[in-house]
């Protein structure tokens, strides 16, 4: 069906081209290039950046408990250190968004990921908490780009009618990446080795940290062979380069020579002759339109939706292994999760035990099974987004996980509690639809900055969620789950305010191309 549509649109372009040297709109040119192995290959490569950006901060939930004895991490410091990745992302989302929109998608993603990988690996060799935190912070300063820019990049490599479902599938792959976190921890942390290098002892948690960070280097290496976004090239007036990229996409998808690509010229945005702005001027030009009507209300709405999402997905989830470990390590019957957490806390305070950095096997197993189960569920749900729509998917995710959080306070069966709490990664299914709206609301030249800024607000939610959950889970446990669950349900209601999707218009265009 895809090839038939490509051939149909190609004939239309070819016939028009014979009549006159038409300039073709980029979306129509992408329709001609079609969907095939070339797009899919680099969409998968770009999804690896998003997976890496998930594995690095989520890995803290296993890394910090395992390193607490070597680095002397107190419980009070754990919440702050766990939020370091998100602090770095918040501080740099703004400049990375600017660089992505002005210097290129590919270049910035590859450079930032390489730097993140190097700093992350170096952190694993640091002898104390201060130096470890500094290098992890340097790593975090580079994560904002690979954590957000691939969303717009993926959309700009695909025909419009495939963007929503592809971004949702990419979200499901991110959840798979999150599932790799406990799986790798399960494989590495139980190992028993110690190598004394004088300043520090190399133990399994250091090797685990290196593996988490190396995912950035692998992603950067693969994407270094990939194309630049044709939409970015067109927005910069680089017509010939954009056309060459489209020819490569067409040739890779159809196995035909690039010269057979029927599009000969692309419509370029109107370029006015004026002096090239400075860095600050350009930054202001990229940002001001987003904080003024008509885009301000959409920036505020998407920012709040991502804030609530990440507060749960990254904030509350940061404490998941610890909470599961406490609830499932005993044989209490007829008690709610919060009753058990309070009971375990009293036992820990009364006991004068030595530092213990061991994580039980049941915690690894449940986290791994739950995350892979969530990944399969996410893939199944993502495949339906084309039929149910972005808004319906968002509403379903927010309300369902919100209700699950509230129910945690009522259940007394430990296995049911584990299922409800382990469903939190499914919240990530709403990221793609929220960002997919950016492709419809904002123009190309502002899209990278818009997604970067809204994701920055979302990461603020990660910082707040991590610290709030850490403060509340021991003192007011039930209120913790009511707060996060209620917040998600409220976000679900707000998602109804998003504009009508252009899916129907895209489908109409598809039908017109097919039958012309």
């Amino acid at each position: 069906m895809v090839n038939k549509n490509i051939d149909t649109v190609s004939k239309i372009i070819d016939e028009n081209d014979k009549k006159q040297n038409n300039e073709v709109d980029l979306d129509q040119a992408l329709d001609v290039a079609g969907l095939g192995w070339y797009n899919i290959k680099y969409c998968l490569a770009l999804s690896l950046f998003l997976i890496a950006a998930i594995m690095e901060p989520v890995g803290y939930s296993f890394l910090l408990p395992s390193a607490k004895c070597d680095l002397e991490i107190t419980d009070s410091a754990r919440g702050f250190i766990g939020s370091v990745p998100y602090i770095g992302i918040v501080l740099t989302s703004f400049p990375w968004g600017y660089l992505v929109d002005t210097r290129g998608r590919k270049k910035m993603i590859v450079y930032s990921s390489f730097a993140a990988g190097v700093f992350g690996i170096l952190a694993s060799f640091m002898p104390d908490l201060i130096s470890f935190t500094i290098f992890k912070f340097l790593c975090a300063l580079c994560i904002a780009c690979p954590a957000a820019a691939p969303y717009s990049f993926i959309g700009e490599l695909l025909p419009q009618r495939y963007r929503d479902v592809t971004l949702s599938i990419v979200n499901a792959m991110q959840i798979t990446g999150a599932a790799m976190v406990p799986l790798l921890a399960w494989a590495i942390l139980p190992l028993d080795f110690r190598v004394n290098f004088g300043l520090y002892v190399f133990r399994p948690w250091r090797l685990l940290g290196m593996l988490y960070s190396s995912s950035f280097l692998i992603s950067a290496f693969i994407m270094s062979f990939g194309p630049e976004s044709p939409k970015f090239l067109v927005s910069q007036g680089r017509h010939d380069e954009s056309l060459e990229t489209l020819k490569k996409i067409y040739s890779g998808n159809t196995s035909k020579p690039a010269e057979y690509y029927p599009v000969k010229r692309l419509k370029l945005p109107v370029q006015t002759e004026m002096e090239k702005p400075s860095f600050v001027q350009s930054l202001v030009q990229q940002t001001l339109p987003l904080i003024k009507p008509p885009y301000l209300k959409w920036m505020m709405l998407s920012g709040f939706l991502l804030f609530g999402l990440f507060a749960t997905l990254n904030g509350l989830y940061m404490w998941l292994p610890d909470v599961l470990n406490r609830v499932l390590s005993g044989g209490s019957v007829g008690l709610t999760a919060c009753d058990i957490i309070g009971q375990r806390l009293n036992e820990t305070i009364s006991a004068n035990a030595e530092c213990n950095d061991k994580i039980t096997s049941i915690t690894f197993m449940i986290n791994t099974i739950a995350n892979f189960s969530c990944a399969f569920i996410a893939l199944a749900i993502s495949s339906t987004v084309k039929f149910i729509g972005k808004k319906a998917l968002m509403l379903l995710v927010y309300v369902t996980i919100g209700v699950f959080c509230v129910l945690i306070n009522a259940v007394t069966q430990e296995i049911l509690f584990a299922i409800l709490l382990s469903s939190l990664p499914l919240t990530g299914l709403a990221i793609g639809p929220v960002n997919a709206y950016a492709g419809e609301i904002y123009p190309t030249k502002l899209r990278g900055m818009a997604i970067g800024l809204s994701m920055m607000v979302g990461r603020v939610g990660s910082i707040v969620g991590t610290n709030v959950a850490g403060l509340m889970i021991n003192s007011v446990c039930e209120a913790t789950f009511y707060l996060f669950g209620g917040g998600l349900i409220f976000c679900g209601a707000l998602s109804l305010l998003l504009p009508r999707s252009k899916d129907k218009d895209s489908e109409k265009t598809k039908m017109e191309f097919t039958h012309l």
Side-chain angles (χ1 to χ4, degrees), residues 51-363:
I51 290 173
I54 287 290
M55 290 179 65
E56 172 67 21
V58 172
Y60 277 51
S61 61
F62 288 96
L63 209 59
L64 295 181
S66 303
K68 68 178 183 180
C69 295
D70 289 350
L71 298 181
E72 299 179 355
I73 305 175
T74 62
D75 290 339
S76 60
R78 183 177 164 190
F80 171 74
I81 298 171
S83 63
V84 162
Y86 309 115
I87 294 174
I89 291 172
V90 168
L91 293 176
T92 58
S93 288
F94 194 88
W96 279 124
Y98 163 77
L99 291 171
V100 164
D101 280 336
T102 58
R103 300 293 186 266
R105 316 293 199 229
K106 173 187 170 181
K107 183 187 296 184
M108 291 300 103
I109 291 175
V110 170
Y111 288 173
S112 61
S113 296
F114 180 79
V118 170
F119 287 131
I121 290 174
L122 288 175
S124 297
F125 295 97
M126 294 300 107
D128 54 47
L129 182 59
I130 294 177
S131 57
F132 173 83
T133 305
I134 289 173
F135 274 88
K136 279 297 187 182
F137 179 69
L138 292 174
C139 173
L141 293 177
C142 305
I143 295 178
C145 185
Y151 284 110
S152 58
F153 201 162
I154 289 171
E156 292 168 1
L157 289 174
L158 299 169
Q160 185 171 347
R161 62 182 177 271
Y162 298 112
R163 289 170 191 166
D164 291 346
V165 66
T166 302
L167 285 171
S168 293
I169 291 173
V170 166
N171 270 337
M173 293 182 64
Q174 278 189 282
I175 297 176
T176 305
M180 293 298 295
V181 171
L183 186 62
L184 287 172
W186 196 2
I188 300 299
L189 291 180
L191 298 177
D192 186 17
F193 64 82
R194 302 171 64 92
V195 181
N196 195 330
F197 286 97
L199 288 177
Y200 66 92
V201 176
F202 193 89
R203 294 181 61 216
W205 70 266
R206 295 184 184 272
L207 176 60
L208 181 63
M210 293 173 65
L211 289 177
Y212 287 153
S213 297
S214 64
S215 57
F216 285 110
L217 299 181
I218 296 170
S219 305
F221 175 76
I222 294 173
M223 197 59 207
S224 64
F225 300 99
E228 178 56 275
S229 162
K231 281 202 172 184
F232 168 76
L233 295 172
V234 165
S235 70
Q236 299 295 305
R238 294 155 65 178
H239 173 276
D240 292 343
E241 293 177 60
S242 181
L243 193 57
E244 285 301 314
T245 298
L246 290 167
K247 287 180 179 179
K248 289 180 181 178
I249 295 174
Y250 173 82
S251 178
N253 289 340
T254 63
S255 300
K256 297 178 181 179
E259 56 267 22
Y260 282 21
Y261 185 56
V263 176
K264 306 304 177 186
R265 287 198 60 78
L266 299 170
K267 289 181 181 178
L268 293 176
V270 178
Q271 301 281 345
T272 56
E273 291 294 331
M274 58 189 301
E275 184 180 349
K276 188 175 181 179
S278 65
F279 175 86
V280 175
Q281 290 173 327
S282 182
L283 196 61
V284 170
Q285 291 172 7
Q286 291 288 118
T287 308
L288 276 182
L290 298 175
I291 56 176
K292 297 191 301 185
Y295 300 125
L296 175 60
K297 60 182 179 181
W298 303 125
M299 278 298 302
M300 292 177 66
L301 180 57
S302 61
F304 191 87
L305 289 175
L306 290 174
F307 181 95
L309 188 156
F310 280 109
T312 302
L313 181 63
N314 294 332
L316 184 58
Y317 185 80
M318 164 73 187
W319 298 91
L320 180 72
D322 180 59
V323 172
L324 276 177
N325 199 47
R326 280 191 272 176
V327 172
L328 300 177
S329 60
S332 301
V333 179
L335 298 178
T336 65
C338 285
D339 291 337
I340 298 173
I341 288 172
Q343 189 179 80
R344 297 289 179 271
L345 181 63
N346 292 333
E347 292 173 0
T348 303
I349 293 173
S350 61
N352 187 20
E354 295 181 359
C355 181
N356 182 11
D357 57 12
K358 300 295 183 183
I359 299 176
T360 59
S361 296
I362 189 66
T363 302

Side-chain angles (χ1 to χ4, degrees), residues 302-303 305-306 309 390 394 398 430-438 454 498:
S302 61
L305 289 175
L306 290 174
L309 188 156
K390 298 190 291 291
M394 274 189 284
Y398 278 122
I431 299 174
V434 173
N435 283 324
Y437 270 101
S454 57
L498 286 165

